[in-house]
Structure formats: structure tokens, C-alpha cells
Amino acid sequence: MNKLTRRPCVAGNWKMQGSYSMIETLLGELHQQEQYLQGIDVILCPPFVYLERVAKMLQRQESTFLLGAQNTYCEEKGAYTGEVSAAMLKDVGCQYVIIGHSERRQLFAESDELIARKFRAAYHAGLTPILCLGETQAERVSGQTFAVIRRQLDSVLEVAELNCFNRAMIAYEPVWAIGTGLTATPEQANEVHTTLRGWIAESDPKIASGVRILYGGSVKASNAKELFCEPNVDGGLIGGASLEGQAFLSICHSATYDT
Ligand code: PGA
């Protein structure tokens, strides 16, 4: 299975941004050009409180866009004030969930172990986890990139079955490139993606060749195409640029095979 057999995917991570009026405008803009985005999965990941609104609007537009959340908790239900379970996300219409974003790891002190448990819970609830991995600037400079990413991947594989990657996706997001305007070069991104795929192939070549690996970190309309052309880059996880209709559409279009 090569790149052409993996369906490209672009996910927009809105982070803690959005409002009812912004949703109206952005989804209106996206919908006008949705018809030109063939053969690709486009996922919108708004904050929890807007999931249902976005789900309803996508339904009304008869949109093919998919819905994702930015986080979930690892338990099914119970006394976990402020948390949201994967089953609840499913209930409001989510199909995807971002797990282990570096902002969760850094600002909210999420450990590899917690992330692994969230990943497993999301998968078992029927969601598609998008597992984020990536090194900091200091880790890259000191030559630890591959050790860090391997640790992040292995901690998930200790808790969840490799088989989960028949459905789950990976997003390689170098921390130094997130929201900084710095982007990994296409070669840097592809090097990590190829290594990740190689590690999975050591256990199961079939799963490895099918798993979609997205790149994230300052992807813009101007650099998306060169990144997405790389043989092991199957699309992107987009932060800032996913809030601007035209920029996001252009990025999505760069991931289709007819560019
Ligand atoms: P960015 O964010 O595109 O704004 O760099 C990417 C992400 O955090 O997923």
C-alpha cells in the first residue's frame, strides 16, 4: 500500500477559539467550496461547547465534513468534574478526537500514561483518535527527536493494541513549530513520518502502510502543498489557519490528489 491508497486528511484544530457567529461565517464559507474537495477527509475540531452546533450545521448543509473533539477523558463516566467522556463525544456526533496535543502535555501536564489511557478509551468508544507526538526545540537540538517520539508512541502501544492503528491516526507535531510560524521542512517532516511508519511496520507491515500520519505545526496555504507531497505525509493538523475559511480551503485542496 503506498501513499495513493491512503485517503488524505486535513483536520482543523480550533483550540480555544470560536463563537456562534464565527461558526456561522466559517462554515458558510467552507460549504461554498466543499464540492471541490474530493477524495479527502476534512475534520473540524471546535471546542466542546460548540460541537453540537457544528454537528447540526454540517447536517443541515448536508456536508461531508467530519467532526472531532480536541480532548476527552480516559474514564467512561463518574465523578470527574469538568471532564467529557468519549461516549459523550460520540453521542453529540463526533467521529474523531485529538489525543495528546502538545498543549495538553505541556500546559495541562498530561503524562504519556494518561494520554495512552485516553487513546484507548477513545478507540473503544468507537472514535478515531488522532494521536499527537512531537519533540521540543531543545529535544531536537540535542538530537533526541527520535527517542522522544518513540517513547510517546511506545507508551500508547503499551496500553492499547497495535490494531487500533487500523483506525487511529498519528499527527507529528514538532512543538517548536506549533503556533510559532516555524515549519518543519518537508524533508524533516517526512523523515519522522517514515521512521514512525517503519516502527509500526516492525510489528505489522499492513497496519503500517495503511495508517495515516498527518503533519502539524504552522501549516499555511503557502507551505501545505510541499509538505503534503511528501511520500509519508498524509495530510495535516491545522491550528491557526483552520480559523480562516479561504486559507483552510486552500490547505485542504493542497491535500487532494488533483492539485
Ligand atoms: P498551528 O497549530 O497550525 O497554529 O501551528 C497546529 C496545532 O497545534 O495542531
Side-chain angles (χ1 to χ4, degrees), residues 76-150:
E76 278 176 41
K77 61 179 171 185
Y80 304 103
T81 303
E83 295 298 327
V84 174
S85 75
M88 292 171 189
L89 296 176
K90 264 225 109 186
D91 208 23
V92 297
C94 281
Q95 297 109 320
Y96 294 82
V97 61
I98 297 171
I99 301 283
H101 190 280
S102 66
E103 286 151 19
R104 301 292 324 165
R105 293 179 190 262
Q106 293 195 323
L107 303 175
F108 302 96
E110 291 196 6
S111 64
D112 287 338
E113 195 219 322
L114 177 63
I115 289 161
R117 291 175 61 212
K118 288 182 172 197
F119 177 97
R120 185 179 58 189
Y123 182 85
H124 287 300
L127 294 170
T128 296
I130 304 172
L131 173 67
C132 299
L133 312 168
E135 81 287 3
T136 63
Q137 175 79 30
E139 289 162 344
R140 177 161 280 265
V141 171
S142 59
Q144 294 175 69
T145 298
F146 293 102
V148 168
I149 292 164
R150 178 99 215 203

Side-chain angles (χ1 to χ4, degrees), residues 13 15 101 103 173 177-179 217-219 237-240:
N13 174 11
K15 310 193 178 182
H101 190 280
E103 286 151 19
E173 297 208 304
I178 295 176
S218 298
V219 177
L237 179 54
I238 320 299

